[in-house]
Amino acid sequence: MTDSHENNAFKKEKGIHTDFIEKMTYGDYLQLDSLLSSQKRLSNHHDEMLFIIIHQVSELWLKLIIHETQAAIDAINEDDLKSSSKMLSRVSKIQTQIIQAWDVLSTLTPAEYMKFRDKLGNASGFQSYQYRLVEFVLGYKTPFILEIYKKDPEVHALLEEAYHKPGLYDVAIQALARNGFEIDNDILNRDFSETYTENDSVENAWLEVYKNVDDNWELYQLAEKLVDVEDWFQQWRFRHMKTVERIIGHKIGTGGSSGVGYLKKVLDHYFFPELWGIRTKI
């Protein structure tokens, strides 16, 4: 009965295209042949497909986060704070999707994972260059990370460029200065290859923004979008850590890291420290 109704509805849609011999299809546009043939299991275990797809989907979302964040950086540099806020709102929504992916992966039990874990060799999510790019554009720079990517000169060059460029928070601080707030010169002209650390002049500027919201509405909105991004990023890190703990406990990671121990350490890092510190002082 359902098939009959669907066929009748289809026949009534006179404008639907069915001849694609010389036209681009949905599958052509999305290159689905390539995309859907990229899940190549190295074992015969059923659940390896889940493991591969979860990580591939996460990499696609990371690609979009990088795309949106870099565009937001460009917009802030052009003092187009409204556009940057829209882009960062999208980043936060994407982050919710990546967080929910851990819920799907957590259906993989320790016994199931151990059936194919040895096939991964030393491959690990720790080596995701897109994840490192996200950290770099947010301002968290770790020099030893670059060593991992010497195998691929193109990826290494991409990371090297992002490593030396100002991150999202750097350009937000520069926007504060352009709007008349006093920011220390050594912050505005700092070495962007170093991870940002807290500064009193930056804290005072943000505090002024929050105390005079009406006069600084766009900067205030930008600040709140930055807090959203960091909040969701920390939730993503936490769910990652708990999922790993649930599946492998405290085993050493396939990439050689301490696994859960390493993931717990990075939970304490803040990208935008002053935006959290001023909440106590407002």
Side-chain angles (χ1 to χ4, degrees), residues 133-151:
L133 268 177
V134 170
E135 287 190 327
F136 286 3
V137 296
L138 293 181
Y140 183 50
K141 311 291 180 70
T142 43
F144 74 92
I145 289 296
L146 293 172
E147 295 295 315
I148 299 171
Y149 307 99
K150 284 186 174 179
K151 175 183 177 181

Side-chain angles (χ1 to χ4, degrees), residues 169 173 176 187 196-207 210 227 230 270-282:
Y169 198 43
I173 292 170
L176 285 172
I187 291 295
Y196 177 81
T197 56
E198 290 181 70
N199 175 268
D200 287 342
S201 69
V202 173
E203 180 176 274
N204 291 336
W206 284 126
L207 194 57
Y210 274 76
V227 170
E230 175 138 40
Y270 284 93
F271 294 108
F272 320 128
E274 293 87 358
L275 291 176
W276 297 91
I278 62 171
R279 279 156 161 73
T280 309
K281 299 180 180 181
I282 294 173

Side-chain angles (χ1 to χ4, degrees), residues 64-65 67-76 80-94 225 229:
L64 188 53
I65 286 175
H67 175 74
E68 296 293 341
T69 305
Q70 288 177 333
I73 288 172
D74 292 340
I76 294 169
D80 184 2
L81 301 189
K82 288 182 179 178
S83 293
S84 71
S85 291
K86 171 66 184 297
M87 293 159 186
L88 294 176
S89 291
R90 182 174 292 167
V91 168
S92 294
K93 292 297 183 182
I94 296 166
K225 297 306 178 187
V229 168

Side-chain angles (χ1 to χ4, degrees), residues 170 173-174 176-178 180-192 196-197 199-202 205:
D170 293 309
I173 292 170
Q174 290 166 1
L176 285 172
R178 288 195 300 274
F181 293 93
E182 290 189 15
I183 305 294
D184 292 344
N185 284 328
D186 58 348
I187 291 295
L188 296 174
N189 301 303
R190 74 185 194 87
D191 181 353
F192 298 118
Y196 177 81
T197 56
N199 175 268
D200 287 342
S201 69
V202 173

